């Protein structure tokens, strides 16, 4: 007896890989299990203004990238007359405008679309800056030393030291007032941390609020403790990155550099909008690496093709279930799947009427052809031409009658219809009309049920977004193919036996 262990191991492996990749796409790549979900998109526009002096101008602006909590979806810039390049300098991504000569007030625009994404992964992790200790003059040096000494007493590591320094800045009013006009609060705290041998720097962030205009960046502290890094609000000491905080410049670089101009300033406007998850993911996968394999990364034309192809295994699963387990007879093994695909284009009622019209008319004409004793190839060819002619006639007639849905019968697979007519005609001659009705009706029933499954919005969403499910479907088909028990339709043979057993039980009761 052949061992079934390899078979069951194969089925288990298919389920494991299929469901594993599905779960991975859901949790690691943020693909939802249900259709209709939307993603929050922030459209942020920065406006760079400066006065040009009539000389060649090079204007450079730090721009954000994919980071914790946000995925960069799209970026563009408006700069009439200027050349534009996106460059990288010292780890910073920058938009750089250039022009041979400009005079007067200049306005340059940069726009980025950022998707709120809990699973966003930056291209690179932040690296600690070089520690730079500055020697301050008196009385600032003494004030800073007092704040740092008090904070060190109540701290244990870089993060707790940061929190204590911020508290001391508020507690020591005299020192705080002295230092307030000497240096910006965030820069001062970063300097105190550097003096304590803690890598820290000031980063520039944007607080996202829907519909806000002419906003400016705020200062945050980026503090390193070994391999760990945390953000701190220099005003409140709050640790961590708020969900509505977007880091705009975070590598110790300058926010703007302008050569050939002065009085430069940058402001930000933003608006929140929602996009269907399919649109958002298409843009996200367009920038993904090879591990994030998905249909969304293909061109739109190929995506449309695969939307239909990936539904075929669902129809196949329905056919296997209804034939192997239920026992419904069909004309042709997978002809119902192709008919179900046609039903998706025509809709169910229109498709059923069109199918019955074509096959019914075809059987009448085929009965005449059988009297001519033609060879098989010639007979099938004649049936194909006949089917095409009937589809053309029915479509033209439907158009004349104003039944636009009737024109959709052109989506029926003509070759399959021709073979169906041929098979049913032979079946009629060999086994009679009853068997034709049984197999034809079974085919339409299976095709209708397959259509209902394939046209379900949830199933469409799952098959298109989770390729791993195809392996799970294959494993299910293999399991059903291994079934050798009774079909549900065969159980009716046992009905007389059940009736006899029930009658004998009642007879025994009467005797008692």
């Amino acid at each position: 007896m052949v061992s079934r262990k390899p078979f069951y191991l194969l089925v288990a492996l298919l389920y494991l890989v299929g469901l594993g990749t599905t779960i991975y796409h859901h949790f690691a790549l943020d693909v939802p299990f249900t259709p209709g979900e939307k993603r929050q998109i922030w459209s942020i526009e920065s406006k760079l203004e400066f006065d040009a002096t009539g000389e060649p101008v090079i204007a450079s602006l730090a721009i954000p990238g994919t980071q914790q909590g946000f995925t960069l979806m799209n970026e563009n810039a408006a700069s009439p007359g200027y050349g534009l390049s996106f460059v990288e300098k010292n780890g910073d991504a920058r938009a750089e405008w250039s022009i041979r000569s400009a005079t007067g007030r200049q306005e340059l625009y940069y726009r980025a679309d950022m998707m709120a994404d809990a699973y966003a992964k930056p291209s690179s992790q932040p690296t600690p800056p070089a520690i730079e200790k500055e020697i301050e003059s008196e009385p600032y040096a003494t004030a800073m030393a007092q704040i740092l000494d008090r904070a060190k007493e109540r701290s244990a590591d870089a993060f707790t030291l940061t929190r204590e320094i911020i508290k001391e800045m508020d507690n020591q009013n005299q020192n705080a007032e002295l230092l307030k006009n000497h240096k910006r609060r965030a820069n001062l705290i970063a300097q105190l941390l550097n003096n304590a041998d803690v890598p820290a720097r000031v980063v520039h962030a944007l607080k996202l609020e829907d519909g806000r205009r002419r906003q400016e960046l705020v200062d945050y502290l980026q503090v390193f403790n070994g391999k760990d890094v945390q953000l701190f609000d220099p005003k409140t000491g709050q640790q961590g990155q708020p969900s509505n905080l977007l880091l705009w410049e975070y590598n110790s670089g300058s926010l703007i550099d302008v050569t050939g101009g002065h009085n430069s300033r940058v402001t930000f406007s933003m608006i929140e909008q929602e996009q269907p998850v399919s649109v958002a993911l298409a843009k996200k996968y367009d920038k993904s690496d090879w591990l994030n394999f998905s249909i969304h990364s293909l061109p739109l034309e190929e995506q449309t093709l695969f939307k239909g192809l990936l539904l075929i295994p669902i129809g196949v699963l329905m056919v296997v279930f209804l034939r192997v387990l239920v026992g419904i007879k069909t004309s042709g093994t997978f002809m119902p799947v192709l008919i179900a695909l046609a039903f998706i284009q025509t809709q169910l009622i229109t498709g059923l009427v069109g199918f019955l019209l074509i096959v019914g008319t075809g059987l009448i004409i085929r009965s005449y052809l059988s009297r001519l004793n033609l060879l098989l190839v010639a007979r099938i060819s004649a049936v194909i031409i006949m089917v095409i002619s009937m589809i053309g006639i029915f479509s033209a007639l439907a158009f004349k009658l104003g039944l636009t849905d009737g024109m959709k019968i052109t989506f029926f697979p003509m070759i399959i219809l021709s073979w169906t007519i041929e098979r049913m005609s032979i079946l009629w001659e060999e086994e009679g009309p009853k068997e034709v009705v049984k197999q034809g009706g079974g085919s339409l029933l299976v095709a209708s049920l397959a259509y209902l499954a394939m046209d379900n919005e949830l199933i469409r969403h799952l098959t298109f977004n989770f390729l791993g499910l195809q392996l799970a479907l294959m494993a299910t088909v293999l399991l059903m193919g291994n079934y050798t028990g009774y079909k549900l339709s065969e159980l009716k043979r046992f009905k007389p036996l059940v009736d006899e057993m029930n009658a004998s039980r009642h007879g025994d009761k009467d005797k008692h």
Side-chain angles (χ1 to χ4, degrees):
M1 184 176 178
V2 180
S3 173
R4 304 295 292 172
K5 287 184 179 179
F7 171 78
Y8 291 115
L9 285 174
L10 174 61
V11 170
L13 180 63
L14 289 173
Y15 274 125
L16 183 64
V17 175
L19 297 178
T21 55
T22 298
I23 293 171
Y24 169 78
H25 274 77
H26 176 67
F27 288 104
L29 306 179
D30 195 25
V31 183
F33 281 137
T34 55
E37 292 191 25
K38 296 185 176 181
R39 289 293 180 265
Q40 182 186 45
I41 305 292
W42 288 96
S43 293
I44 306 157
E45 183 179 78
S46 62
K47 180 181 180 182
L48 174 59
E49 301 174 275
F50 61 92
D51 294 322
T53 59
E55 301 174 356
V57 173
I58 297 178
S60 177
L61 172 69
I63 56 177
T66 297
Q67 57 189 269
Q68 179 183 343
F70 296 94
T71 295
L72 176 63
M73 309 298 291
N74 188 35
E75 60 181 347
N76 54 69
S79 49
Y82 279 79
L84 172 66
S85 297
F86 294 105
V87 300
E88 186 172 330
K89 292 183 177 179
N90 300 323
D92 262 342
R94 307 186 71 86
E96 192 171 271
W97 293 270
S98 59
I99 194 171
R100 179 64 61 181
S101 177
T103 305
R105 195 66 175 169
Q106 305 292 304
E107 295 180 353
L108 304 176
Y109 294 89
Y110 167 81
R111 173 174 171 168
D113 293 331
M114 308 292 295
M115 179 177 72
D117 185 0
Y119 302 96
K121 294 182 179 179
S123 57
S124 60
Q125 296 298 320
T127 55
I131 295 177
E132 298 180 359
K133 297 183 179 181
E134 298 182 22
I135 300 176
E136 296 286 349
S137 59
E138 294 294 348
Y140 306 116
T142 300
M144 292 173 65
Q146 290 177 355
I147 291 175
L148 184 58
D149 290 341
R150 290 289 300 274
K152 280 183 175 179
E153 293 174 2
R154 296 193 297 270
S155 65
D157 58 13
F159 297 152
T160 54
L161 177 61
T162 304
R163 291 199 296 266
E164 293 304 322
I165 288 176
I166 294 173
K167 290 178 183 178
E168 285 301 314
M169 293 286 294
D170 295 327
N171 293 337
Q172 297 188 26
N173 293 329
Q174 291 183 348
N175 289 331
E177 283 296 322
L178 175 65
L179 297 171
K180 182 172 67 175
N181 297 323
H182 174 62
K183 190 173 289 189
R184 293 180 65 169
R185 183 181 176 99
N187 296 85
L188 179 62
I189 298 172
Q191 184 179 337
L192 288 170
L193 289 169
N194 282 333
N195 289 345
D197 295 318
V198 174
R201 61 182 163 213
V202 177
V203 297
H204 304 292
L206 183 66
K207 289 186 176 180
L208 301 176
E209 298 179 52
D210 187 27
R212 302 289 288 181
R213 299 173 63 247
R214 303 189 71 81
Q215 299 298 295
E216 296 187 350
L217 298 180
V218 295
D219 293 338
Y220 261 73
L221 288 166
Q222 193 178 59
V223 182
F224 293 82
N225 184 27
K227 293 183 178 180
D228 296 331
V229 58
Q230 285 287 346
L231 283 180
F232 288 86
D233 186 334
K235 294 180 180 179
T236 65
Q238 180 182 358
Q239 183 175 339
Q241 183 175 345
S243 60
N244 67 331
L245 189 76
L246 172 70
L247 297 183
W248 194 272
E249 192 288 313
Y250 38 88
N251 278 308
S252 303
S254 59
L255 177 61
I256 51 177
D257 291 319
V258 178
T259 303
H262 55 85
N263 296 330
S264 58
R265 182 190 179 203
V266 62
T267 56
F268 301 85
S269 302
M270 66 206 76
I271 188 171
E272 178 190 5
Q273 54 187 335
E274 289 187 335
Q275 285 187 356
V277 68
S278 58
V279 177
L281 290 178
K283 293 180 180 178
K284 179 178 178 178
Y285 282 120
D286 187 48
K287 300 175 180 295
S288 65
D289 56 39
W290 70 275
L291 285 174
N292 300 350
F293 56 93
S294 167
I295 298 298
H296 290 287
S297 61
L298 296 175
L300 287 178
E301 185 177 354
E302 279 70 23
Q303 287 188 41
T304 304
L305 174 64
F306 271 101
K307 266 192 174 179
L309 290 179
L310 292 173
L311 290 174
I312 293 178
I314 298 296
V316 168
L317 182 67
M318 292 296 297
V319 170
V320 174
F321 172 77
L322 293 171
R323 289 195 55 157
V324 174
L325 299 183
V326 179
I328 297 177
K329 290 185 177 181
T330 62
S331 178
T333 307
F334 292 107
M335 184 269 285
V337 179
L338 300 175
I339 299 300
L341 284 174
F343 285 170
I344 291 176
Q345 303 296 329
T346 64
Q347 298 305 307
L348 184 59
I349 301 301
T350 304
L352 286 172
V353 172
F355 180 86
L356 292 173
L357 279 174
I358 294 172
V359 173
T361 307
L363 284 174
I364 294 172
I365 299 174
R366 168 62 178 76
S367 66
Y368 169 74
L369 293 176
S370 63
R371 300 174 189 172
L372 302 178
N373 294 324
L374 299 175
L375 295 173
L376 176 63
V377 175
R379 191 169 65 239
I380 290 294
S381 301
V383 172
I384 291 173
I385 296 172
M386 174 193 67
V387 168
I388 294 173
S389 301
M390 284 191 297
I391 289 176
I393 292 170
F394 289 148
S395 297
L397 182 61
F399 179 73
K400 287 291 184 181
L401 296 175
L403 304 174
T404 54
D405 285 345
M407 295 185 294
K408 295 180 179 178
I409 61 174
T410 54
F411 288 104
F412 278 114
M414 300 174 189
I415 305 299
I416 299 300
L417 283 180
S418 302
W419 272 107
T420 300
I421 293 170
E422 177 68 17
R423 287 168 60 92
M424 286 187 173
S425 179
I426 295 174
L427 191 64
W428 188 303
E429 294 171 355
E430 294 179 351
E431 301 189 32
K434 183 179 179 181
E435 191 65 24
V436 171
V437 172
K438 183 185 294 186
Q439 292 193 18
S443 297
L444 286 182
L445 175 61
V446 173
S448 300
L449 293 175
Y451 158 78
L452 294 175
M454 294 162 69
D455 200 46
N456 182 273
E457 186 180 5
L458 176 61
I459 291 178
R460 282 174 168 269
H461 172 81
L462 291 175
T463 54
F464 183 70
N465 290 285
F466 298 99
L467 288 177
L469 288 179
Q470 303 296 324
L471 298 179
L473 290 174
M474 183 177 177
T476 305
V477 168
L478 291 176
L479 279 179
M480 287 193 293
N482 196 45
Y483 178 74
T484 55
Y486 286 109
K487 298 178 174 62
L488 292 178
S489 60
E490 293 175 335
L491 297 180
K492 65 181 181 181
R493 294 188 302 172
F494 297 96
K495 189 175 185 301
L497 179 60
V498 173
D499 294 339
E500 184 179 339
M501 291 176 63
N502 289 334
S504 63
R505 287 176 183 173
H506 289 303
D508 293 339
K509 289 181 180 178
D510 292 339
K511 289 179 181 179
H512 291 294

